[in-house]
């Protein structure tokens, strides 16, 4: 009876995330991930252009850099939609493997898909969908004893999955490390063979990270570690937002992100079940993974919705494996209904806005085609400078690798010396005039970073715009009206 709903789980989740990919506004974080995939055609992260995460994602997605001109951005969004849908299916399989009934496992997977943070992961071209897929895969390999794989083999593959998650996003090192500690503690009787197999798999999973560390240690250490410890906090202080770095604010924001969907309510139910009824099967590892996810969510400052995602797979697998009634009371059912509505609210409102004004991602595709055609018609060779490279990545307009990370490195102040900027292929606001004057670019694209803030009066695009105007670049407006193309005059 339940085969049909289960068979619809993957396509239904993909359709939801694909809808989000079409309607969600462009996120400034997408700039670095889309540009990095495009630049894989010419070089490597850290060695040839800066990157602000561990580097597995651009390697895995590099083939998409050769899709039809102008469609890279949309292709990466839809790829994340498919990967996130795969994570939903893996959570269902893991909940079944942990002893959950088909109905409860299906409910858990469906509720995960309706969390706003998960919809965000599947709807934008960031680095959230791949690591959550690998985390869900690792959990499934550990809890499903029915898999026709030897125990140590499953532990090795689970370690490989968690190692791959770490190689996509550094914050997953917390759940990966906590799980290793749990396996060490529980494996004392069999001489920790499972923990050793898991560690070997994890080591294999971080090989791409170690290779890039060996190739460009200075750039790697800055991009993967130092930047996140200093630069985001500096930007908030420059914009009079010090309160966003305080612990109470972080806790409140994370709770708000969890309540946009049933995650916070499910967390409360799992805790109640844990202390009321004791351990369930696989409870220890899953409980510690939930704790590790909470720690990983609180580490980055300031906090955003994507940081709660590591909590979600173990939480919903744990929920899906529970036997017996949970939400029999009417008030609990109403609570689930309210949180599900909150989870879908943003996607629903953006869908209405898209019906009125057009799809943000499709408008970006049109603008990207227009930008490439006009630069191509001008006959000017070279690479374009922009803080929004995702808007034309994969088209005729090539990205200047020094601006591949969009606004994130450009907005820094005093965190690099001129020599370090040159070695790491970076241009900041402090040295923009010198960098552009020494080699004037054929084109400058502005408009994606126009919002004025105390730290950037007139927007981060203002220095680029002013330099282009001072140097007599010819300005043209994109079809959407959002972007300005400045062409160097002959």
């Amino acid at each position: 009876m339940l085969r049909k709903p289960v068979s619809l789980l993957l396509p239904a989740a993909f359709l939801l995330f694909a809808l989000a990919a079409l309607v969600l506004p462009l996120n400034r974080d997408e700039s670095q991930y889309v540009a990095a995939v495009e630049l894989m055609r010419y070089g490597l992260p850290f060695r040839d252009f800066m990157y602000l995460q561990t580097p597995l994602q651009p390697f895995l997605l590099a083939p998409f850099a050769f899709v039809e001109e102008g469609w890279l951005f949309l292709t990466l969004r839809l790829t994340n939609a498919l990967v996130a849908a795969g994570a939903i299916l893996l959570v269902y399989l893991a909940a079944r493997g942990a002893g959950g009934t088909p109905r409860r496992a299906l409910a858990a997977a469906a509720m995960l898909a309706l969390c706003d943070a998960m919809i965000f992961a599947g709807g934008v071209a960031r680095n959230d969908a791949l690591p959550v897929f690998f985390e869900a895969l690792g959990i499934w390999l550990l809890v499903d004893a029915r898999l026709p794989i030897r125990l140590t083999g499953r532990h090795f593959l689970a370690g490989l999955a968690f190692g791959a998650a770490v190689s996509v996003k550094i914050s997953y090192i917390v759940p990966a490390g906590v799980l290793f500690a749990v396996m060490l503690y529980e494996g004392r009787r069999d001489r920790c063979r499972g923990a050793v197999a898991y560690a070997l798999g994890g080591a294999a999973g971080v090989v791409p990270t170690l290779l890039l560390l060996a190739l460009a240690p200075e750039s790697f250490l800055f991009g993967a570690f130092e930047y996140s410890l200093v630069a985001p906090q500096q930007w908030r202080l420059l914009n009079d937002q010090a309160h966003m770095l305080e612990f109470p604010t972080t806790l409140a924001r994370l709770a708000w992100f969890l309540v946009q969907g049933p995650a916070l309510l499910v967390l409360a139910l799992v805790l109640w079940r844990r202390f009321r009824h004791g351990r369930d099967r696989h409870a220890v590892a899953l409980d510690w993974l939930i704790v590790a996810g909470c720690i990983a969510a609180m580490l980055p400052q300031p906090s955003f919705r994507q940081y709660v995602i590591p909590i979600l797979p173990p939480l919903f697998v744990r929920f899906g494996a529970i036997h017996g009634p949970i939400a029999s009371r009417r008030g609990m059912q109403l609570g689930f209904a309210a949180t599900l509505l909150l989870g879908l609210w943003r996607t629903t409102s953006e869908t209405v806005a898209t019906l009125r004004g057009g799809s943000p991602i499709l408008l970006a595709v049109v603008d990207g085609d227009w930008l490439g055609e006009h630069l191509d018609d001008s006959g000017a060779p070279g690479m374009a400078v922009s803080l929004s490279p995702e808007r034309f990545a994969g088209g005729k307009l090539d990205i200047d690798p020094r601006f591949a990370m969009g606004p994130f490195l450009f907005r820094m102040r005093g965190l690099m010396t001129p020599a370090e900027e040159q070695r790491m292929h970076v241009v900041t606001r402090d040295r923009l005039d010198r960098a552009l004057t020494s080699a004037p670019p054929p084109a400058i694209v502005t408009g994606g970073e126009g919002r004025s803030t105390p730290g950037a009066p007139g927007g981060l695009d203002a220095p680029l715009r002013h330099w282009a105007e001072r140097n007599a670049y010819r300005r043209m407006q994109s079809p959407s009206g959002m972007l300005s193309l400045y062409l160097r005059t002959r």
Side-chain angles (χ1 to χ4, degrees):
M1 184 175 178
L2 283 171
R3 287 180 182 177
K4 188 175 180 180
V6 169
S7 66
L8 293 176
L9 181 61
L10 182 64
F14 173 71
L15 287 175
L16 173 61
F17 299 146
L19 172 65
L22 292 174
V23 304
L24 289 181
L26 274 58
N27 185 276
R28 65 166 23 162
D29 285 11
E30 293 176 281
S31 57
Q32 59 171 311
Y33 302 109
V34 178
V37 173
E38 163 72 1
L39 290 171
M40 288 295 291
R41 290 167 34 169
Y42 316 111
L44 293 174
F46 304 115
R47 191 193 69 179
D48 302 302
F49 59 91
M50 181 54 78
Y51 191 62
L52 300 180
Q53 275 291 348
T54 39
L56 182 59
Q57 175 157 310
F59 279 95
L60 294 180
L61 301 183
F64 292 117
F66 299 94
V67 299
E68 184 70 18
E69 281 187 353
W71 293 97
L72 175 62
F73 195 179
L74 177 60
T75 299
L76 293 180
R77 275 199 168 194
L78 293 178
T79 300
N80 270 0
L82 182 59
V83 172
I88 299 299
L89 179 61
L90 287 170
V91 165
Y92 167 80
L93 295 173
R96 290 284 291 120
T101 64
R103 188 181 299 274
R104 181 62 55 75
L106 182 60
M111 285 192 289
L112 171 58
L114 296 174
C115 290
D116 179 66
M118 196 67 197
I119 295 173
F120 180 77
V124 298
R126 280 179 38 87
N127 69 331
D128 302 307
L130 268 175
V132 78
F133 174 87
F134 286 130
E135 183 184 26
L137 175 61
I139 292 171
W140 177 45
L141 289 165
L142 286 175
V143 302
D144 196 342
R146 298 171 299 177
L147 291 172
I149 307 172
R150 291 179 59 187
L151 186 61
T152 52
R154 286 195 285 118
H155 286 161
F156 176 84
L157 293 174
L160 182 63
F162 274 93
V166 173
S167 280
V168 175
K169 193 166 188 176
I170 192 65
S171 60
Y172 280 79
I173 198 169
V174 178
V178 167
L179 184 57
F180 176 64
V182 171
M183 294 177 71
L184 273 179
Y185 180 78
E186 293 195 331
R188 292 169 296 173
R189 295 180 181 178
D190 63 353
R191 298 182 181 179
C192 301
R193 284 177 294 184
V196 171
Y198 172 86
L200 291 174
V206 298
V207 163
T209 297
L210 298 177
L211 288 176
L212 267 297
L213 172 61
L215 280 175
E218 183 183 33
S219 295
F220 178 92
L221 292 174
F222 181 85
F225 294 101
E226 295 174 28
Y227 173 87
S228 60
L229 295 175
V230 181
Q233 294 83 346
Q234 181 195 66
W235 179 243
R236 295 299 161 182
L237 293 174
L238 289 172
N239 286 288
D240 302 326
Q241 295 176 324
H243 65 280
M244 291 187 68
L245 307 176
E246 297 171 356
F247 180 74
T249 303
T250 297
L251 206 58
R253 284 172 64 86
L254 293 176
W256 170 237
F257 299 140
L258 288 172
V259 86
Q260 294 178 62
L264 192 61
L265 186 55
V266 167
L267 179 60
L269 289 172
V270 166
L271 287 173
W272 177 83
R273 176 82 181 191
R274 176 68 177 81
F275 292 109
R276 181 74 178 269
H277 297 281
R279 297 181 181 179
D280 295 318
R281 186 183 175 195
H282 303 295
V284 173
L286 291 172
D287 287 347
W288 278 108
L289 277 175
I290 294 169
V291 172
C294 292
I295 295 170
M298 288 187 288
L299 289 178
Q301 297 290 338
S303 57
F304 293 100
R305 69 184 73 250
Q306 60 267 22
Y307 298 149
V308 305
I309 294 173
I311 305 171
L312 303 182
L315 175 62
F316 282 93
V317 171
R318 182 80 161 83
F319 175 78
I322 293 175
H323 287 274
I326 295 179
S328 57
R329 296 180 181 179
R330 187 174 182 82
M332 191 66 69
Q333 294 170 351
L334 290 175
F336 272 116
T339 56
L340 289 171
L341 289 175
L342 282 172
L344 288 171
W345 176 256
R346 192 165 64 104
T347 305
T348 303
S349 62
E350 296 297 349
T351 301
V352 173
T354 295
L355 292 174
R356 292 174 177 172
S359 165
I361 185 67
L362 294 181
L363 290 173
V365 169
V366 173
D367 279 354
D369 286 342
W370 177 87
L371 290 168
E373 289 171 4
H374 280 76
L375 185 66
D376 195 44
D377 292 342
S378 73
M383 299 176 178
V385 165
S386 178
L387 301 183
S388 306
E390 76 281 4
R391 295 173 182 261
F392 56 88
K396 296 178 182 178
L397 196 59
D398 290 332
I399 298 169
D400 187 322
R402 299 173 299 172
F403 294 84
M405 297 298 97
F408 297 102
L409 296 174
F410 181 77
R411 71 191 187 187
M412 297 188 310
R413 292 187 181 178
L415 299 183
M416 280 185 174
T417 66
E420 287 173 334
E421 286 190 22
Q422 189 171 6
R423 288 197 305 270
M424 298 189 213
H425 313 289
V426 168
V427 173
T428 63
R429 273 188 302 181
D430 298 336
R431 278 165 281 278
L432 175 70
D433 190 75
R434 178 180 177 183
L436 297 189
T437 302
S438 62
I444 296 173
V445 179
T446 65
E449 292 292 335
R451 188 170 66 90
S452 182
T453 67
L460 284 168
D461 273 335
L464 293 177
R465 188 170 61 249
H466 294 158
W467 189 92
E469 291 168 352
R470 288 197 310 271
N471 289 273
Y473 275 56
R474 179 165 57 96
R475 179 178 177 271
M476 304 177 72
Q477 199 76 13
S478 72
S480 70
M482 298 177 185
L483 301 182
S484 293
L485 170 63
Y486 292 89
L487 284 175
R488 187 175 64 203
T489 55
R490 299 198 175 193

